[in-house]
Amino acid sequence: MKIRVQAGAMLAAIWVFFTIFGGTAEAHFSSTGFSDITIKDKSLEYNVFLLEKELIEALPAIDQDGDGKISESEFAGSHEILTALVHDRLIVTGNSKVGTGTVLVAKKTEKAKMPMIEIDINYDFGEPVDRYMVQYNFYDGTNPDHRSYATIRMGQQSIVQVINSSNNILQMEGYHGADAGTTDTVAAGDSEQKPITTSSSWTSVLKAYTTMGMEHIWSGADHLLFLCGLILAAGASGWTMLKLISAFTIGHSITLVLSALDLASLSPLIVEPLIALSIVFVAFENIFRKKDGANTENKRLAVTVLFGMVHGFGFAEILHGTMSGNIALPLFSFNLGVEIGQLAVLAIVIPLLWLIRKVMTGNRQTWWAYGTSSLVGLMGLYWLIERLISDFKM
């Protein structure tokens, strides 16, 4: 009976790993876009940023020679199909009247340290608009987990809103010069509107960027798997676990600050494979590390800080595309959100691992540690190969 329980616990753990991480094997940045929305008295300007491969997935006809890239000549001859795509995937209304989007330009650019495609669209309503509504549908197709980080500007004020498949409708008050005071955003299906004040309110900035940080860590399966690897590295020692998690936090906080301040940067094309490599390394070390000692633990802490710095560059990807002006509060809030999200995951994973360790005894506990670390390493290796291949194609 006891053996059955132990075997069941191991199988359940394997199922949890593949359920949580197996379905999200794509890099967390691979399905991210940006929306820069500028609200004016009689018009709305919408600049949408997408990865080149995602635009080709949404509009295969634009890649006329089928080489997986969009040339300047292909851009020049694709105005009509781009306009059709915009009308299909982006619905903008002013005072309940559907606007007709005019594609001003489509070009290759850089956003959040990544090469992206920018499509600039203008919606002119010809009269003052009291209320705009935007419905964003670019998440359709092969990337249902796609999200767009929208920066909504009204005069000198701005807010940030995350758009995804469950929250793809934004409702915004029209801009009336100096009288503009608030911007409302609501998710589809909400029974009542929930106003969010503009950036003049520090509480709205705190809430927006804290939420972004939490969502970023929760949507980044690679970050979570690395944390799980650190927990496994700690064994049964709560003190060791605390030191490893603190080392990771110190590492990613350093590079998050440096990157957000543009004092240091690293392309996601380099960061993403390195994050996957960090998962492989921590799993390998869990399996083959030598007997614990002061020097071994110090080396492990130093390596954890270094890999934490790599993950910090990954966290900073989103901030590069959304922050402008005073960045102190957004930076603090985003990092706070990352820490809250991290602690929430640890609050679930640590008791689960503790329970499994109580069930597993003797050699079976060693077998469990090797088995789970091997799973972590295999998933990290899968991501590493996938991201290197993806980078090569780009």
Side-chain angles (χ1 to χ4, degrees), residues 18 23 92 217 241 260 341:
F18 279 103
V92 177
I217 188 71
M241 186 182 302

Side-chain angles (χ1 to χ4, degrees), residues 197-215:
T197 58
T198 57
S199 60
S200 57
S201 170
W202 69 269
T203 55
S204 66
V205 176
L206 177 66
K207 178 180 177 181
Y209 280 92
T210 300
T211 301
M212 284 173 59
M214 293 167 63
E215 290 182 342

Side-chain angles (χ1 to χ4, degrees), residues 104-163:
L104 303 177
V105 66
K107 61 183 179 181
K108 292 186 178 182
T109 187
E110 184 178 278
K111 185 80 167 177
K113 306 296 183 180
M114 279 288 288
M116 303 193 87
I117 302 298
E118 177 183 354
I119 306 175
D120 296 346
I121 313 147
N122 183 65
Y123 295 86
D124 190 351
F125 292 90
E127 61 183 13
V129 176
D130 294 322
R131 194 165 193 82
Y132 291 99
M133 185 188 77
V134 172
Q135 183 173 339
Y136 179 98
N137 294 317
F138 278 98
Y139 58 83
D140 288 346
T142 58
N143 289 317
D145 62 337
H146 172 80
R147 64 188 59 210
S148 183
Y149 290 87
T151 301
I152 306 166
R153 295 183 176 87
M154 182 187 297
Q156 299 301 313
Q157 302 171 322
S158 66
I159 62 168
V160 175
Q161 176 77 8
V162 181
I163 305 173

Side-chain angles (χ1 to χ4, degrees), residues 10 30 73 120 152 156 160 198 293 317 360-361 370 381:
M10 184 62 180
S30 65
S73 61
D120 296 346
I152 306 166
Q156 299 301 313
V160 175
T198 57
E317 292 167 0
M360 299 285 182
T361 57
Y370 285 166
L381 183 62

